[in-house]
Amino acid sequence: MKARYIILPLLCVCMTVAAQDNSKHHHIEDSTDVFFRHLNLNEVTVTGVTGDTKLKHATAPVSIVTPQILKATASTNIIDAIAHQPGVSQLTTGGSISKPIIRGLGYNRVVVMSEGVRQEGQQWGDEHGVEVDGSSVGSVEILKGPASLMYGSDAMAGVVILHAQPTLAEGELKGNISTEYQTNNGLFNYSLQMAGNQKGFVWDARYSDKMAHAYKNKYDGYVPGSQFRERAGRLMLGLNKGWGHSRLTWTAYHLTPGIVEGERDAETGELEHEEGWTGHQYSKALPFQQVKHYKVVWDNSLNLSSGYLKAIIGYQQNRRQEFEEEMDEYELYFKLHTLTYDLRYVTNEFNGWKLSTGIGGMYQKSGNEGEEYLIPDYRLFDFGFYATATKSLGDNWTLNGGLRYDHRRLHGYELMEDGDVRFANFSRHFNGVTGSIGAVCNINEHFNVRLNLARGFRTPNMSELASNGVHEGSLRYEIGNQDLKAEYSMQADLGLEFTSQYVSAQLALFANRIDNYIFTHRLAEEIEEGYLTYAYTQGDARLLGFEAGVDLHPVHSVHFSNTFSYVDAQQMHADPGTKYLPFTPAPKWASELKWELFHHSHTTVNHHHTTDAAHRSVLNNLFIAAGLDCYLKQSHIYSADDTETVTPGYALLNLSAGTDIQVKGKKIAELYITADNLLNKAYQNHLSRLKYADENVVTGRRGVYNMGRNITFKLVVPISM
């Protein structure tokens, strides 16, 4: 680890900083970064660990993104909105497609949960994002580290849990209208929502529509293919009673993203586009994708005298089409059906003990309905059962742990093409035993120590086992390996937290060893002209890193927060060019200074008693903030075969402001204004796949650059009845 990567966080941790004020005027939703604002959040119950657990008792690292943070963050999709969290990054393809990266690992090593079930949309692909409407997400839990104990295969790097907004209290009927505009890509978004609870009958309905033309930066101008259109709907109907709840949720998500090819004119160096194309067009243009995702989830919970029993059944259908030559004729078409099930029992606490046990899994069927092929038709079935236990030892110690067994079967079907075998018929079976054990020690009211050891498990996906074709997303011909073994990881986490009246600081260290790590390597042969050939293989890897943070809070209205994230990911016993794992996030330092100008805690729509100042004020919860995101140079790259190149460091200046607008003490709207990349810096994020597009022969610059200056205006109007 280079010295400059160590000095900066240590300087931050050594700073004299101030913690939160526990007075009645401080609210969790006013936090600027949950990584620091943990005094009140410690009392929040998180669901992603071993059963329902208070955050202060969670031994594994967990971050919470509150509704207020989501509303105040400018983004083009839900993963974009949470990628500012320490230890979390995103692998991007243009503005509409983002994949979560947790501590240097992504793809099928991260599980995304939505509506209580794992989101399945063929996430193995480079250009396959997360098919969830960001407007429907109320809050987010991020588990960092192996979570196979609760979520089975694929939860090796962590889990992103997207929570819907909670159901309303008895007798309430509310809604809201939100709209958003971004200046760089002309993004226009609106969302309509109405929810209620009448005598235990609950409902929640939402419709969202989003469109954006091509984004621009000062080097490339407008980027052809970066435009997109998104539409989504959600309907929840259910019962909330004393015995528990039963809810049925239906969601539909349609995304039409363009495909950024990055091809350039050989003489001018400009990005190529169709004749007559202008950057301001919202309409689709070739090539593009058409993604449709449908989901039905039945969520049930039964309260028992000794605890509760929870059962969730979900069905998803993912349709992914790629149009290259004709607007109405697709070349590639994946159709994926997924049925998931989860049954768990959680006890109430007794004598300091809390136990849980469960069984869950999924069935999948995937088919090709296009003219081009990359993976075969396949079926998948898996199940896993687990048990966990938590023990509280007085007020200072909390211990927890558990064991899980998983079984997965995969079967790929034969496909003949022009008399030759394109895909062979084959079956694979995988078994895995995983677990975790951890402890939290509340040494005193100021200092906490967390320690966790977890074993992760991931089976190879169908692309890794059997791909045989051109992967347009990565511009290469890929060959699978049916002999691949399952990946196993062992990760140790150590967390240190210190809080006092003037200091709030956190340091999270992790060390991760992965056996049978799956990756691609280049072959000398050229199967299809114009495409390099890559095949899947595996070896061992290790990842080391940390997240550090401090928060200066000298007075109630001022917050100065800093975070630093670092991960070093290497293949063991590898040659210098293949030593580092590809797509490892660059070290990042994020700093924000926030000033809350006005804050009247009693001026809410639910409080009838307000102060005179609150009645007179038109603005409430008014804040202004300045932020600086510094990405250090990333020279730890997979350089073999020109797979990756060094990414220089850069810094982005951001400004933001927000306020509630009220009349006679009643909130009538929320307004947020955010200026990202205020200085219009031309940069390429190390995790942008567009970084490796064609070279500009005039300037010598390779690839497409990220979005330039972007100012976002967001308005939320609550409707109370």
Side-chain angles (χ1 to χ4, degrees):
M1 187 183 301
K2 295 185 177 180
R4 68 176 183 272
Y5 296 163
I6 302 175
I7 294 173
L8 180 59
L10 290 181
L11 288 175
C12 294
V13 173
C14 292
M15 292 174 58
T16 301
V17 295
Q20 293 76 5
D21 188 341
N22 275 330
S23 69
K24 63 183 179 181
H25 298 292
H26 187 77
H27 291 275
I28 295 174
E29 63 269 19
D30 294 324
S31 308
T32 56
D33 195 322
V34 179
F35 190 74
F36 308 110
R37 310 284 193 265
H38 67 280
L39 279 180
N40 291 328
L41 287 176
N42 273 337
E43 301 303 318
V44 172
T45 298
V46 293
T47 62
V49 290
T50 53
D52 295 347
T53 306
K54 283 189 176 181
L55 186 58
K56 65 181 179 182
H57 295 150
T59 60
V62 182
S63 292
I64 300 176
V65 186
T66 64
Q68 189 68 15
I69 292 177
L70 289 176
K71 287 188 289 187
T73 301
S75 63
T76 56
N77 58 71
I78 185 57
I79 301 304
D80 189 21
I82 66 173
H84 302 281
Q85 297 298 307
V88 181
S89 308
Q90 58 177 329
L91 180 71
T92 61
T93 306
S96 61
I97 298 175
S98 297
K99 302 173 72 67
I101 304 291
I102 298 179
R103 291 178 166 178
L105 298 174
Y107 293 85
N108 282 80
R109 298 180 179 95
V110 174
V111 168
V112 176
M113 300 288 293
S114 175
E115 304 293 350
V117 300
R118 56 189 293 161
Q119 184 77 12
E120 290 292 323
Q122 311 217 36
Q123 56 270 26
W124 48 266
D126 292 87
E127 71 284 16
H128 300 173
V130 177
E131 306 86 353
V132 175
D133 173 24
S135 299
S136 67
V137 178
S139 63
V140 183
E141 286 180 38
I142 304 172
L143 280 62
K144 303 172 188 174
S148 299
L149 173 63
M150 295 294 292
Y151 298 95
S153 176
D154 301 352
M156 183 173 260
V159 182
V160 176
I161 306 174
L162 308 176
H163 291 293
Q165 296 179 1
T167 58
L168 298 179
E170 171 69 37
E172 287 190 326
L173 179 62
K174 292 183 178 180
N176 70 71
I177 302 173
S178 61
T179 186
E180 178 181 2
Y181 177 75
Q182 298 184 9
T183 59
N184 186 287
N185 58 355
L187 184 147
F188 175 70
N189 173 36
Y190 68 89
S191 184
L192 312 174
Q193 186 243 357
M194 185 63 67
N197 183 339
Q198 299 296 319
K199 298 181 179 180
F201 174 68
V202 294
W203 70 92
D204 192 340
R206 179 182 292 274
Y207 175 78
S208 302
D209 199 344
K210 181 188 299 182
M211 65 185 75
H213 61 63
Y215 77 80
K216 61 182 177 180
N217 59 65
K218 69 178 184 180
Y219 284 168
D220 301 313
Y222 287 101
V223 177
S226 60
Q227 70 275 10
F228 65 92
R229 179 69 183 269
E230 175 185 304
R231 292 176 177 171
R234 179 179 186 269
L235 176 63
M236 184 276 290
L237 301 173
L239 293 174
N240 284 358
K241 297 293 185 179
W243 48 261
H245 71 253
S246 180
R247 303 169 193 153
L248 186 66
T249 303
W250 171 85
T251 63
Y253 177 90
H254 291 183
L255 174 66
T256 307
I259 297 177
V260 182
E261 296 181 307
E263 297 179 350
R264 295 184 180 273
D265 186 275
E267 296 182 359
T268 66
E270 295 182 355
L271 291 168
E272 293 185 348
H273 53 76
E274 291 184 335
E275 184 177 355
W277 178 86
T278 65
H280 294 89
Q281 291 180 203
Y282 286 91
S283 58
K284 60 187 178 184
L286 292 170
F288 65 90
Q289 292 188 68
Q290 179 68 60
V291 181
K292 298 181 179 180
H293 195 93
Y294 304 99
K295 184 189 303 181
V296 178
V297 178
W298 188 24
D299 181 356
N300 303 273
S301 182
L302 179 63
N303 296 329
L304 305 173
S305 59
S306 58
Y308 68 87
L309 184 66
K310 191 173 183 66
I312 301 179
I313 299 175
Y315 168 75
Q316 301 172 68
Q317 184 183 113
N318 183 272
R319 304 178 185 178
R320 189 175 299 276
Q321 300 170 323
E322 188 173 299
F323 299 79
E324 299 172 8
E325 304 295 337
E326 302 290 338
M327 298 291 288
D328 56 355
E329 184 175 334
Y330 51 79
E331 278 75 23
L332 197 68
Y333 186 1
F334 296 125
K335 181 181 285 188
L336 176 66
H337 303 267
T338 304
L339 179 68
T340 56
Y341 57 95
D342 181 43
L343 178 67
R344 68 180 64 180
Y345 170 68
V346 181
T347 70
N348 297 325
E349 186 172 341
F350 61 95
N351 299 325
W353 287 94
K354 189 173 184 179
L355 309 176
S356 69
T357 184
I359 183 172
M362 67 177 175
Y363 167 79
Q364 282 190 335
K365 177 184 176 182
S366 177
N368 290 284
E369 299 190 9
E371 298 177 352
E372 297 180 359
Y373 308 97
L374 177 59
I375 62 174
D377 296 352
Y378 72 88
R379 294 177 187 266
L380 178 153
F381 175 76
D382 72 5
F383 69 87
F385 52 86
Y386 63 90
T388 69
T390 301
K391 173 63 174 177
S392 297
L393 302 176
D395 296 328
N396 296 333
W397 283 91
T398 301
L399 310 176
N400 67 34
L403 289 172
R404 180 184 179 107
Y405 170 78
D406 280 283
H407 175 77
R408 172 171 288 186
R409 297 201 310 265
L410 273 162
H411 182 82
Y413 290 91
E414 182 183 71
L415 174 66
M416 302 293 294
E417 187 177 37
D418 299 329
D420 297 325
V421 177
R422 180 66 176 269
F423 301 110
N425 197 66
F426 78 100
S427 295
R428 289 294 307 275
H429 298 248
F430 300 94
N431 299 285
V433 177
T434 55
S436 72
I437 184 171
V440 177
C441 180
N442 306 122
I443 296 177
N444 53 47
E445 61 177 330
H446 301 297
F447 193 52
N448 295 334
V449 178
R450 303 173 190 269
L451 181 64
N452 195 72
L453 184 66
R455 179 174 171 84
F457 165 72
R458 184 182 81 89
T459 70
N461 60 49
M462 186 54 66
S463 176
E464 295 164 338
L465 288 169
S467 59
N468 185 14
V470 173
H471 192 175
E472 296 290 349
S474 55
L475 302 177
R476 62 193 189 189
Y477 196 103
E478 293 187 357
I479 300 176
N481 182 350
Q482 294 182 15
D483 297 325
L484 293 175
K485 302 176 182 178
E487 294 181 343
Y488 286 94
S489 70
M490 183 66 73
Q491 178 165 318
D493 283 277
L494 174 64
L496 307 174
E497 301 176 356
F498 180 75
T499 303
S500 71
Q501 184 178 358
Y502 300 105
V503 174
S504 176
Q506 295 80 36
L507 179 64
L509 306 169
F510 67 91
N512 189 8
R513 163 67 186 261
I514 304 177
D515 295 329
N516 307 321
Y517 181 85
I518 299 172
F519 60 97
T520 57
H521 69 107
R522 184 178 170 184
L523 302 181
E525 61 181 306
E526 186 176 278
I527 296 179
E528 186 157 331
E529 184 179 357
Y531 293 92
L532 300 177
T533 303
Y534 283 78
Y536 284 96
T537 186
Q538 54 190 172
D540 297 332
R542 69 111 179 104
L543 296 90
L544 304 173
F546 65 89
E547 294 102 37
V550 293
D551 184 21
L552 175 65
H553 186 46
V555 295
H556 172 72
S557 59
V558 175
H559 300 273
F560 181 49
S561 61
N562 295 268
T563 63
F564 188 85
S565 304
Y566 175 83
V567 58
D568 179 69
Q570 298 187 21
Q571 291 189 58
M572 303 180 67
H573 317 296
D575 296 331
T578 61
K579 177 180 179 181
Y580 297 104
L581 301 187
F583 291 114
T584 299
K588 177 185 176 182
W589 170 45
S591 182
E592 183 186 63
L593 178 63
K594 180 179 180 181
W595 181 20
E596 298 173 350
L597 284 78
F598 301 115
H599 184 79
H600 304 295
S601 63
H602 293 291
T603 56
T604 65
V605 295
N606 293 325
H607 290 146
H608 298 290
H609 175 69
T610 59
T611 65
D612 292 338
H615 273 296
R616 291 193 302 267
S617 177
V618 176
L619 304 180
N620 188 25
N621 297 323
L622 173 64
F623 73 88
I624 57 174
L628 188 66
D629 294 334
C630 297
Y631 293 82
L632 279 63
K633 178 181 179 180
Q634 180 55 293
S635 57
H636 292 179
I637 60 171
Y638 189 102
S639 59
D641 311 321
D642 199 28
T643 300
E644 283 190 309
T645 58
V646 172
T647 302
Y650 59 91
L652 305 177
L653 177 63
N654 311 306
L655 297 179
S656 62
T659 185
D660 294 345
I661 302 173
Q662 57 186 25
V663 175
K664 295 182 179 180
K666 181 179 180 180
K667 183 172 70 174
I668 62 170
E670 300 174 44
L671 176 64
Y672 303 94
I673 303 175
T674 304
D676 290 320
N677 192 6
L678 185 65
L679 302 182
N680 200 29
K681 175 73 174 180
Y683 71 97
Q684 290 176 318
N685 188 284
H686 187 68
L687 299 187
S688 171
R689 292 178 53 256
L690 302 183
K691 180 174 179 279
Y692 302 98
D694 287 353
E695 179 182 334
N696 187 325
V697 295
V698 176
T699 64
R701 303 187 187 99
R702 181 183 178 184
V704 176
Y705 282 70
N706 287 76
M707 185 182 294
R709 181 189 301 113
N710 186 33
I711 302 176
T712 300
F713 302 88
K714 186 182 297 186
L715 182 68
V716 181
V717 179
I719 303 172
S720 181
M721 302 180 185

